[in-house]
Amino acid sequence: MFSFCAEPDILEGLQWVTCYLTTGKHFAFYASFGTVMLLLAVTAPVALLFGFGGATAARSTIAPLRWFGKGYTAIVRGIPDIAFFMFFVIALDQAFEFVRHKVLCPEWTDPIRQGNDFVVCSAAKLPLSSSPQWMHETYGFMLAVLTFAIVFGAFAANVLYGGMGAVPRGQLETAEAYGMSRRQTFWRILVPQMWIYALPGLSNLWMILIKATPLLFLLGVEDIVYWARELGGSKTQVFSYPHPDWRLYYFLGLLVFYLSLTKVSEIVLSNLTDKLSKGQATMGGESQRKAVAS
């Protein structure tokens, strides 16, 4: 039988949960979802730009440029992502500070490398120690974007290189027969047609990029994985809201988030593939032609 005696306990429990989910740390947790989405929104086009540059360089008739394009793809793809993230961010940060040190502090006589320490003048620090916290966070985020873009740009370069090679040679020969220059053939014939051949690989790369976003915590960015681990861990009475280990529930929430994001991505990419396949001599275009004919 229902008892009204339990009602105060229920109300107290709801009040506790409401207060618990509206703490400052939880709002930071909610904001970290926006950080992940912003990373994807910024990194994807930048990585695609890096990949397009790498693929174009790898096809160049100029040998040093061709070596650079193929070397960039081979080296980055051959290094484990975690190792690259752990090393490259430190190296990039120190490279920026080294250049600033040489420009801003030419009178400095002490060695920059002092054992295991990397010591530059205070004016060369990035960001400055007097800078507000948001500048430190923005700088760390931009380093993360650049690192992700370089890594996934190398994979995109390999995909785009294959897409360029898949464009029928007859299309390019026809353009040349009509008097188009090499540059006109590249931009008007090759580039517009390569996307349908590269899209399956780029779609897989986008999914991998989504799954790689938890690596943000390696770069010092407080992402959703960091906050899930921080908030879900057991809290004792010294905390305002003590609770047992709830990391399972927090990470289940992340599971739902990532599955939802990948599902939406699949729908969007499938529609994009259908749109680009119209009139193309590809498997997707042939399937559309047969569907219309039947």
Side-chain angles (χ1 to χ4, degrees), residues 90-160:
I90 298 175
L92 188 64
D93 183 46
Q94 291 185 356
F96 289 156
E97 292 186 349
F98 177 80
V99 173
R100 285 171 56 86
H101 177 82
K102 290 297 184 181
V103 174
L104 299 177
C105 306
E107 72 284 353
W108 185 281
T109 57
D110 296 334
I112 295 178
R113 286 288 181 186
Q114 299 180 13
N116 293 328
D117 297 327
F118 182 82
V119 182
V120 295
C121 63
S122 57
K125 285 289 186 179
L126 276 177
L128 299 176
S129 57
S130 58
S131 300
Q133 180 62 26
W134 69 267
M135 289 192 64
H136 289 266
E137 295 176 357
T138 301
Y139 177 71
F141 180 79
M142 295 309 298
L143 282 180
V145 168
L146 186 56
T147 305
F148 269 85
I150 291 175
V151 171
F152 286 91
F155 289 94
N158 191 57
V159 172
L160 294 177

Side-chain angles (χ1 to χ4, degrees), residues 50-60 62-77 153-158 161:
F50 279 26
F52 185 79
T56 304
R59 289 176 52 90
S60 175
I62 304 174
L65 194 58
R66 184 171 64 253
W67 297 337
F68 172 79
K70 293 185 176 181
Y72 162 62
T73 304
I75 292 174
V76 178
R77 289 175 61 222
F155 289 94
N158 191 57
Y161 182 83

Side-chain angles (χ1 to χ4, degrees), residues 99-227:
V99 173
R100 285 171 56 86
H101 177 82
K102 290 297 184 181
V103 174
L104 299 177
C105 306
E107 72 284 353
W108 185 281
T109 57
D110 296 334
I112 295 178
R113 286 288 181 186
Q114 299 180 13
N116 293 328
D117 297 327
F118 182 82
V119 182
V120 295
C121 63
S122 57
K125 285 289 186 179
L126 276 177
L128 299 176
S129 57
S130 58
S131 300
Q133 180 62 26
W134 69 267
M135 289 192 64
H136 289 266
E137 295 176 357
T138 301
Y139 177 71
F141 180 79
M142 295 309 298
L143 282 180
V145 168
L146 186 56
T147 305
F148 269 85
I150 291 175
V151 171
F152 286 91
F155 289 94
N158 191 57
V159 172
L160 294 177
Y161 182 83
M164 292 178 182
V167 176
R169 177 61 189 169
Q171 300 279 352
L172 308 182
E173 292 175 347
T174 301
E176 295 171 358
Y178 273 95
M180 286 188 179
S181 65
R182 182 181 180 86
R183 175 173 295 184
Q184 289 175 324
T185 302
F186 178 79
W187 286 109
R188 297 183 182 181
I189 306 299
L190 181 63
V191 172
Q193 294 191 68
M194 74 170 182
W195 296 109
I196 185 57
Y197 300 100
L199 189 58
L202 293 177
S203 300
N204 290 334
L205 191 57
W206 168 254
M207 297 298 185
I208 295 174
L209 176 60
I210 292 176
K211 294 194 298 181
T213 53
L215 294 175
L216 273 172
F217 81 95
L218 293 176
L219 308 179
V221 179
E222 295 179 350
D223 66 328
I224 54 179
V225 175
Y226 167 84
W227 284 114

Side-chain angles (χ1 to χ4, degrees), residues 226-249:
Y226 167 84
W227 284 114
R229 184 179 57 183
E230 175 71 17
L231 294 170
S234 60
K235 299 293 184 290
T236 62
Q237 293 294 333
V238 297
F239 290 85
S240 300
Y241 297 92
H243 63 74
D245 193 329
W246 286 350
R247 283 176 294 182
L248 173 64
Y249 306 106

Side-chain angles (χ1 to χ4, degrees), residues 17-91:
V17 171
T18 302
C19 294
Y20 172 71
L21 295 177
T22 54
T23 60
K25 287 189 175 182
H26 274 87
F27 280 117
F29 175 52
Y30 306 145
S32 65
F33 284 86
T35 300
V36 171
M37 298 304 295
L38 181 61
L39 175 78
L40 292 172
V42 176
T43 300
V46 176
L48 195 60
L49 183 63
F50 279 26
F52 185 79
T56 304
R59 289 176 52 90
S60 175
T61 56
I62 304 174
L65 194 58
R66 184 171 64 253
W67 297 337
F68 172 79
K70 293 185 176 181
Y72 162 62
T73 304
I75 292 174
V76 178
R77 289 175 61 222
I79 300 175
D81 292 349
I82 293 180
F84 192 89
F85 287 153
M86 295 292 288
F87 163 78
F88 186 76
V89 175
I90 298 175

